[in-house]
Amino acid sequence: MTSEQKWQSPIAPGISWYQATVGERPTYPELDGSKTCDVAIIGGGYTGLQAAYHLAKAGVSVVLIEACRFGDGASGRNGGQLGTGQRSWPEELEEEIGFERSKALFDLAEDAKKHLLDFATEHQIDIDFMPGQMNVAHKASYEKDFRANAEIAASRYGYPHATFMDRAETQERLGSTRYFCGVRDTGTGHIHPLKLLVGLARAAAASGAEVFEMTKATAIRQGGGKVTIDTPRGRITADKALIACNGYIENLEPITASHVMPIRSFIGATVPLGETSSVIPGGEAVADPRFVVRYFRKSKDGRLLFGGREAYTADNPRDISEHIRRQIAEIYPELGNVEITHAWGGSVAITMPRQPFVREVMPGVTSIGGYSGHGVMLANYCGRLYAETVIGKSGDLELFKALKIPAFPGGRAMRAPLLFLALSWFALRDKF
């Protein structure tokens, strides 16, 4: 076992299958001393590294710090599904913000999908892309909504790749009788997220951005037209700053912390199921519409990668593997005793309306996060859009800034307990 395969993230439990199969993951230095730059970035996930890459490529001086290693957070440990559109279905957003804005956000998400795939191709990053995704219904009463979703995507949003699946087709394509119907999307797919993250870090460093690992931001302040960021071994002074910590914001910046809530999510990887397995024979990714989402897919070598929880708590389960195996068995009873080779977790971040939080939290300081399980595409693209805002190339980030993202109730002391109670309640409702 290599040193990379033994590395345990200090901020997330378990060693992921992604980590075991990524190959070389370069290390980067810690910040040691003071730095001055045009833009400082806190957070080395998709958002921060994309921003660093595009800013440096445009000639802007950038210093980026990451508290752990690049890939230790959600960007390197997530479910790998790209999806289509925003976290909410377009018809749901349309009811809230109107067709024009809903369509603009849908089109922006399509641009985000194209950007991610084009970026990987341009930088020769093998992200293990596999086409297709299925959203499936665990209740028969959802059939009307699922039929409408595919029709609306084609007729109102110009997206012809989503088709309704009846019960027979759904069961055949999943290899399971657990779901009643679904929508199959051939215009998207799923990836190896850590391979993308490693390639992105290389691209950012090669573009001229100064990037540092194992460097935690301990404070951020604004004054005298400058932003200062303190770290254990140096201070960064910048004209502007981007906070891209997502589910690991902690208490660094209070406005972000009150609007972006970290929750734990867990994934298990089985042994390869073999060529004769009936599980997802087409290789698509799968997600269901539960409030507490289950998401699963096949890897290129035929493993089932399965993610989800029944209820959220602040702690990690003692045995991630057993917890995931029970959920797998609900959908695939024949896999009730399947060997799980890797099991891991980490913090993702949600907002109250499940829409990204993009806001200037102090003069010259923008915070972006809260992708609510839809961050593979959106986090990458928001980093690019932030850079384009800074250099005056695009104003598309304003589409997210205009969204109304309320703070979680209860203040700093009570917001986490209240959220855990609410999520447990919605998880219970998922069963009925």
Side-chain angles (χ1 to χ4, degrees):
M1 184 178 290
T2 66
S3 60
E4 172 58 42
Q5 292 170 331
K6 293 178 181 178
W7 170 257
Q8 174 60 64
S9 166
I11 58 173
I15 296 174
S16 74
W17 176 78
Y18 304 136
Q19 188 176 325
T21 57
V22 73
E24 180 190 4
R25 180 161 58 137
T27 58
Y28 296 85
E30 299 178 43
L31 177 65
D32 186 9
S34 296
K35 292 283 184 180
T36 301
C37 60
D38 297 325
V39 179
I41 299 173
I42 305 172
Y46 290 147
T47 301
L49 286 168
Q50 283 282 0
Y53 166 78
H54 287 282
L55 285 167
K57 190 177 178 183
V60 178
S61 63
V62 181
V63 174
L64 179 148
I65 57 172
E66 162 59 41
C68 299
R69 289 184 68 188
F70 298 137
D72 278 0
S75 292
R77 300 169 71 86
N78 62 73
Q81 300 194 27
L82 302 189
T84 291
Q86 302 294 324
R87 174 66 171 80
S88 299
W89 283 355
E91 56 267 36
E92 296 173 330
L93 274 179
E94 190 174 327
E95 291 181 2
E96 179 185 347
I97 63 177
F99 172 74
E100 183 177 348
R101 290 177 64 197
S102 177
K103 179 66 162 61
L105 285 167
F106 186 90
D107 291 345
L108 184 147
E110 281 299 285
D111 291 341
K113 187 189 300 179
K114 184 177 186 303
H115 164 258
L116 186 155
L117 298 176
D118 287 350
F119 185 90
T121 299
E122 177 186 353
H123 294 278
Q124 299 181 326
I125 308 169
D126 181 7
I127 58 174
D128 289 359
F129 176 77
M130 295 178 66
Q133 183 189 45
M134 296 183 286
N135 290 304
V136 293
H138 66 293
K139 297 180 181 180
S141 59
Y142 288 177
E143 179 174 340
K144 180 180 178 181
D145 290 340
F146 273 66
R147 284 187 182 274
N149 175 250
E151 294 170 1
I152 290 169
S155 63
R156 292 183 61 77
Y157 287 82
Y159 190 79
H161 309 294
T163 55
F164 176 76
M165 303 184 297
D166 62 15
R167 187 169 189 173
E169 182 181 357
T170 300
Q171 293 181 356
E172 181 180 0
R173 292 193 182 279
L174 262 69
S176 168
T177 61
R178 180 65 183 84
Y179 292 96
F180 292 91
C181 64
V183 171
R184 181 169 180 249
D185 185 350
T186 59
T188 188
H190 49 105
I191 68 168
H192 189 302
L194 186 56
K195 287 186 177 180
L196 174 61
L197 192 282
V198 169
L200 174 54
R202 283 196 179 103
S207 71
E210 295 187 83
V211 298
F212 299 95
E213 294 182 318
M214 308 304 291
T215 303
K216 185 179 180 65
T218 56
I220 180 170
R221 294 179 297 277
Q222 198 280 339
K226 296 289 184 180
V227 181
T228 57
I229 299 168
D230 291 337
T231 77
R233 296 169 60 183
R235 173 175 291 177
I236 306 167
T237 303
D239 297 326
K240 296 179 182 293
L242 169 64
I243 298 173
C245 301
N246 204 36
Y248 295 93
I249 183 64
E250 298 179 342
N251 293 317
L252 177 65
E253 195 287 306
I255 297 176
T256 307
S258 67
H259 289 78
V260 175
M261 173 71 75
I263 56 175
R264 288 298 203 190
S265 188
F266 301 90
I267 305 176
T270 71
V271 294
L273 301 182
E275 294 182 1
T276 61
S277 173
S278 62
V279 174
I280 323 177
E284 301 94 341
V286 184
D288 69 27
R290 299 168 192 261
F291 190 87
V292 181
V293 176
R294 293 182 181 179
Y295 49 98
F296 48 101
R297 63 193 182 95
K298 293 271 281 292
S299 63
K300 276 199 168 182
D301 66 350
R303 298 170 187 269
L304 180 64
L305 308 182
F306 192 100
R309 278 190 64 93
E310 284 298 328
Y312 289 99
T313 66
D315 301 320
N316 300 316
R318 292 181 179 179
D319 187 344
I320 299 174
S321 296
E322 186 56 35
H323 175 89
I324 293 296
R325 188 182 291 107
R326 286 197 301 269
Q327 292 194 337
I328 291 174
E330 290 180 25
I331 301 171
Y332 298 106
E334 70 273 21
L335 299 180
N337 294 315
V338 69
E339 180 184 350
I340 293 179
T341 60
H342 300 81
W344 66 97
S347 291
V348 297
I350 64 171
T351 63
M352 286 281 285
R354 302 298 189 271
Q355 296 162 0
F357 173 80
V358 180
R359 186 172 300 181
E360 188 173 66
V361 293
M362 61 182 76
V365 179
T366 298
S367 183
I368 305 178
Y371 300 107
S372 304
H374 209 62
V376 178
M377 290 190 315
L378 296 184
N380 275 277
Y381 204 50
C382 280
R384 171 179 166 173
L385 293 181
Y386 171 79
E388 291 182 348
T389 299
V390 170
I391 63 180
K393 184 177 179 181
S394 168
D396 284 350
L397 195 63
E398 292 296 325
L399 288 168
F400 287 126
K401 283 186 177 180
L403 294 171
K404 295 180 179 179
I405 310 296
F408 283 92
R412 186 172 297 179
M414 290 300 296
R415 67 189 183 98
L418 287 174
L419 180 67
F420 297 143
L421 287 172
L423 289 172
S424 298
W425 163 246
F426 280 110
L428 183 64
R429 287 183 59 189
D430 281 339
K431 296 178 180 292
F432 299 99

